[in-house]
mmCIF file with all atom_site columns, all heavy atoms in Angstrom:
data_model
loop_
_atom_site.group_PDB
_atom_site.id
_atom_site.type_symbol
_atom_site.label_atom_id
_atom_site.label_alt_id
_atom_site.label_comp_id
_atom_site.label_asym_id
_atom_site.label_entity_id
_atom_site.label_seq_id
_atom_site.pdbx_PDB_ins_code
_atom_site.Cartn_x
_atom_site.Cartn_y
_atom_site.Cartn_z
_atom_site.occupancy
_atom_site.B_iso_or_equiv
_atom_site.pdbx_formal_charge
_atom_site.auth_seq_id
_atom_site.auth_comp_id
_atom_site.auth_asym_id
_atom_site.auth_atom_id
_atom_site.pdbx_PDB_model_num
ATOM   1  N  N   . GLU A 1 9   ? 19.976 -9.918  -15.000 1.00 96.00 ? 9   GLU A N   1
ATOM   2  C  CA  . GLU A 1 9   ? 18.761 -9.354  -14.411 1.00 96.00 ? 9   GLU A CA  1
ATOM   3  C  C   . GLU A 1 9   ? 18.558 -9.969  -13.036 1.00 96.00 ? 9   GLU A C   1
ATOM   4  O  O   . GLU A 1 9   ? 18.636 -11.214 -12.925 1.00 96.00 ? 9   GLU A O   1
ATOM   5  C  CB  . GLU A 1 9   ? 17.595 -9.662  -15.345 1.00 96.00 ? 9   GLU A CB  1
ATOM   6  C  CG  . GLU A 1 9   ? 16.207 -9.492  -14.744 1.00 96.00 ? 9   GLU A CG  1
ATOM   7  C  CD  . GLU A 1 9   ? 15.873 -8.046  -14.433 1.00 96.00 ? 9   GLU A CD  1
ATOM   8  O  OE1 . GLU A 1 9   ? 15.572 -7.271  -15.334 1.00 96.00 ? 9   GLU A OE1 1
ATOM   9  O  OE2 . GLU A 1 9   ? 15.943 -7.696  -13.198 1.00 96.00 ? 9   GLU A OE2 1
ATOM   10 N  N   . ASP A 1 10  ? 18.339 -9.164  -12.023 1.00 95.00 ? 10  ASP A N   1
ATOM   11 C  CA  . ASP A 1 10  ? 18.265 -9.727  -10.674 1.00 95.00 ? 10  ASP A CA  1
ATOM   12 C  C   . ASP A 1 10  ? 16.794 -10.028 -10.227 1.00 95.00 ? 10  ASP A C   1
ATOM   13 O  O   . ASP A 1 10  ? 16.606 -10.825 -9.294  1.00 95.00 ? 10  ASP A O   1
ATOM   14 C  CB  . ASP A 1 10  ? 18.879 -8.790  -9.634  1.00 95.00 ? 10  ASP A CB  1
ATOM   15 C  CG  . ASP A 1 10  ? 18.140 -7.447  -9.561  1.00 95.00 ? 10  ASP A CG  1
ATOM   16 O  OD1 . ASP A 1 10  ? 17.863 -6.884  -10.654 1.00 95.00 ? 10  ASP A OD1 1
ATOM   17 O  OD2 . ASP A 1 10  ? 17.838 -7.022  -8.452  1.00 95.00 ? 10  ASP A OD2 1
ATOM   18 N  N   . ASN A 1 11  ? 15.838 -9.493  -10.948 1.00 90.00 ? 11  ASN A N   1
ATOM   19 C  CA  . ASN A 1 11  ? 14.441 -9.724  -10.532 1.00 90.00 ? 11  ASN A CA  1
ATOM   20 C  C   . ASN A 1 11  ? 13.911 -10.982 -11.226 1.00 90.00 ? 11  ASN A C   1
ATOM   21 O  O   . ASN A 1 11  ? 13.836 -11.045 -12.431 1.00 90.00 ? 11  ASN A O   1
ATOM   22 C  CB  . ASN A 1 11  ? 13.604 -8.491  -10.910 1.00 90.00 ? 11  ASN A CB  1
ATOM   23 C  CG  . ASN A 1 11  ? 12.160 -8.635  -10.454 1.00 90.00 ? 11  ASN A CG  1
ATOM   24 O  OD1 . ASN A 1 11  ? 11.552 -9.660  -10.653 1.00 90.00 ? 11  ASN A OD1 1
ATOM   25 N  ND2 . ASN A 1 11  ? 11.647 -7.592  -9.879  1.00 90.00 ? 11  ASN A ND2 1
ATOM   26 N  N   . ASN A 1 14  ? 11.060 -10.462 -13.778 1.00 89.00 ? 14  ASN A N   1
ATOM   27 C  CA  . ASN A 1 14  ? 11.542 -9.869  -15.033 1.00 89.00 ? 14  ASN A CA  1
ATOM   28 C  C   . ASN A 1 14  ? 12.309 -10.855 -15.867 1.00 89.00 ? 14  ASN A C   1
ATOM   29 O  O   . ASN A 1 14  ? 12.163 -10.940 -17.088 1.00 89.00 ? 14  ASN A O   1
ATOM   30 C  CB  . ASN A 1 14  ? 12.482 -8.676  -14.748 1.00 89.00 ? 14  ASN A CB  1
ATOM   31 C  CG  . ASN A 1 14  ? 11.743 -7.465  -14.230 1.00 89.00 ? 14  ASN A CG  1
ATOM   32 O  OD1 . ASN A 1 14  ? 10.522 -7.376  -14.367 1.00 89.00 ? 14  ASN A OD1 1
ATOM   33 N  ND2 . ASN A 1 14  ? 12.458 -6.545  -13.661 1.00 89.00 ? 14  ASN A ND2 1
ATOM   34 N  N   . ASP A 1 53  ? 20.172 -5.423  -17.229 1.00 95.00 ? 53  ASP A N   1
ATOM   35 C  CA  . ASP A 1 53  ? 19.421 -4.634  -16.266 1.00 95.00 ? 53  ASP A CA  1
ATOM   36 C  C   . ASP A 1 53  ? 20.364 -3.547  -15.736 1.00 95.00 ? 53  ASP A C   1
ATOM   37 O  O   . ASP A 1 53  ? 21.558 -3.756  -15.617 1.00 95.00 ? 53  ASP A O   1
ATOM   38 C  CB  . ASP A 1 53  ? 18.943 -5.535  -15.128 1.00 95.00 ? 53  ASP A CB  1
ATOM   39 C  CG  . ASP A 1 53  ? 18.100 -4.786  -14.113 1.00 95.00 ? 53  ASP A CG  1
ATOM   40 O  OD1 . ASP A 1 53  ? 17.478 -3.794  -14.466 1.00 95.00 ? 53  ASP A OD1 1
ATOM   41 O  OD2 . ASP A 1 53  ? 18.065 -5.281  -12.967 1.00 95.00 ? 53  ASP A OD2 1
ATOM   42 N  N   . VAL A 1 54  ? 19.830 -2.366  -15.486 1.00 93.00 ? 54  VAL A N   1
ATOM   43 C  CA  . VAL A 1 54  ? 20.691 -1.297  -15.000 1.00 93.00 ? 54  VAL A CA  1
ATOM   44 C  C   . VAL A 1 54  ? 20.847 -1.344  -13.489 1.00 93.00 ? 54  VAL A C   1
ATOM   45 O  O   . VAL A 1 54  ? 21.937 -1.257  -12.950 1.00 93.00 ? 54  VAL A O   1
ATOM   46 C  CB  . VAL A 1 54  ? 20.190 0.092   -15.452 1.00 93.00 ? 54  VAL A CB  1
ATOM   47 C  CG1 . VAL A 1 54  ? 21.021 1.213   -14.844 1.00 93.00 ? 54  VAL A CG1 1
ATOM   48 C  CG2 . VAL A 1 54  ? 20.245 0.210   -16.982 1.00 93.00 ? 54  VAL A CG2 1
ATOM   49 N  N   . GLN A 1 55  ? 19.722 -1.560  -12.806 1.00 91.00 ? 55  GLN A N   1
ATOM   50 C  CA  . GLN A 1 55  ? 19.780 -1.655  -11.313 1.00 91.00 ? 55  GLN A CA  1
ATOM   51 C  C   . GLN A 1 55  ? 20.031 -3.095  -10.924 1.00 91.00 ? 55  GLN A C   1
ATOM   52 O  O   . GLN A 1 55  ? 19.154 -3.912  -11.052 1.00 91.00 ? 55  GLN A O   1
ATOM   53 C  CB  . GLN A 1 55  ? 18.500 -1.151  -10.702 1.00 91.00 ? 55  GLN A CB  1
ATOM   54 C  CG  . GLN A 1 55  ? 18.381 0.392   -10.794 1.00 91.00 ? 55  GLN A CG  1
ATOM   55 C  CD  . GLN A 1 55  ? 17.107 0.870   -10.102 1.00 91.00 ? 55  GLN A CD  1
ATOM   56 O  OE1 . GLN A 1 55  ? 16.029 0.426   -10.442 1.00 91.00 ? 55  GLN A OE1 1
ATOM   57 N  NE2 . GLN A 1 55  ? 17.289 1.746   -9.143  1.00 91.00 ? 55  GLN A NE2 1
ATOM   58 N  N   . LEU A 1 56  ? 21.208 -3.348  -10.450 1.00 93.00 ? 56  LEU A N   1
ATOM   59 C  CA  . LEU A 1 56  ? 21.581 -4.682  -9.999  1.00 93.00 ? 56  LEU A CA  1
ATOM   60 C  C   . LEU A 1 56  ? 22.171 -4.597  -8.609  1.00 93.00 ? 56  LEU A C   1
ATOM   61 O  O   . LEU A 1 56  ? 22.684 -3.537  -8.233  1.00 93.00 ? 56  LEU A O   1
ATOM   62 C  CB  . LEU A 1 56  ? 22.638 -5.276  -10.950 1.00 93.00 ? 56  LEU A CB  1
ATOM   63 C  CG  . LEU A 1 56  ? 22.208 -5.660  -12.343 1.00 93.00 ? 56  LEU A CG  1
ATOM   64 C  CD1 . LEU A 1 56  ? 23.405 -5.864  -13.277 1.00 93.00 ? 56  LEU A CD1 1
ATOM   65 C  CD2 . LEU A 1 56  ? 21.344 -6.907  -12.346 1.00 93.00 ? 56  LEU A CD2 1
ATOM   66 N  N   . PRO A 1 57  ? 22.042 -5.665  -7.822  1.00 92.00 ? 57  PRO A N   1
ATOM   67 C  CA  . PRO A 1 57  ? 22.654 -5.589  -6.469  1.00 92.00 ? 57  PRO A CA  1
ATOM   68 C  C   . PRO A 1 57  ? 24.176 -5.546  -6.609  1.00 92.00 ? 57  PRO A C   1
ATOM   69 O  O   . PRO A 1 57  ? 24.714 -6.238  -7.483  1.00 92.00 ? 57  PRO A O   1
ATOM   70 C  CB  . PRO A 1 57  ? 22.207 -6.877  -5.848  1.00 92.00 ? 57  PRO A CB  1
ATOM   71 C  CG  . PRO A 1 57  ? 21.904 -7.819  -6.980  1.00 92.00 ? 57  PRO A CG  1
ATOM   72 C  CD  . PRO A 1 57  ? 21.431 -6.969  -8.127  1.00 92.00 ? 57  PRO A CD  1
ATOM   73 N  N   . LYS A 1 107 ? 11.433 -0.994  -19.776 1.00 83.00 ? 107 LYS A N   1
ATOM   74 C  CA  . LYS A 1 107 ? 10.543 -1.905  -19.146 1.00 83.00 ? 107 LYS A CA  1
ATOM   75 C  C   . LYS A 1 107 ? 9.199  -1.209  -18.998 1.00 83.00 ? 107 LYS A C   1
ATOM   76 O  O   . LYS A 1 107 ? 9.165  -0.030  -18.718 1.00 83.00 ? 107 LYS A O   1
ATOM   77 C  CB  . LYS A 1 107 ? 11.048 -2.305  -17.758 1.00 83.00 ? 107 LYS A CB  1
ATOM   78 C  CG  . LYS A 1 107 ? 12.350 -3.117  -17.787 1.00 83.00 ? 107 LYS A CG  1
ATOM   79 C  CD  . LYS A 1 107 ? 12.785 -3.357  -16.335 1.00 83.00 ? 107 LYS A CD  1
ATOM   80 C  CE  . LYS A 1 107 ? 14.071 -4.196  -16.268 1.00 83.00 ? 107 LYS A CE  1
ATOM   81 N  NZ  . LYS A 1 107 ? 14.549 -4.259  -14.934 1.00 83.00 ? 107 LYS A NZ  1
ATOM   82 N  N   . ARG A 1 198 ? 10.355 -2.721  -6.276  1.00 93.00 ? 198 ARG A N   1
ATOM   83 C  CA  . ARG A 1 198 ? 10.317 -4.005  -6.991  1.00 93.00 ? 198 ARG A CA  1
ATOM   84 C  C   . ARG A 1 198 ? 8.876  -4.341  -7.392  1.00 93.00 ? 198 ARG A C   1
ATOM   85 O  O   . ARG A 1 198 ? 8.621  -4.807  -8.495  1.00 93.00 ? 198 ARG A O   1
ATOM   86 C  CB  . ARG A 1 198 ? 10.943 -5.074  -6.091  1.00 93.00 ? 198 ARG A CB  1
ATOM   87 C  CG  . ARG A 1 198 ? 10.800 -6.446  -6.596  1.00 93.00 ? 198 ARG A CG  1
ATOM   88 C  CD  . ARG A 1 198 ? 11.795 -7.365  -5.925  1.00 93.00 ? 198 ARG A CD  1
ATOM   89 N  NE  . ARG A 1 198 ? 13.141 -7.060  -6.357  1.00 93.00 ? 198 ARG A NE  1
ATOM   90 C  CZ  . ARG A 1 198 ? 14.121 -7.906  -6.390  1.00 93.00 ? 198 ARG A CZ  1
ATOM   91 N  NH1 . ARG A 1 198 ? 13.961 -9.162  -5.986  1.00 93.00 ? 198 ARG A NH1 1
ATOM   92 N  NH2 . ARG A 1 198 ? 15.353 -7.620  -6.836  1.00 93.00 ? 198 ARG A NH2 1
HETATM 93 MN MN1 . MN  B 2 .   ? 17.192 -4.861  -11.126 1.00 83.37 ? 1   MN  B MN1 1
#
Side-chain angles (χ1 to χ4, degrees):
E9 165 65 77
D10 63 312
N11 183 315
N14 287 342
D53 181 25
V54 174
Q55 287 183 303
L56 290 165
K107 293 176 178 175
R198 173 162 290 208

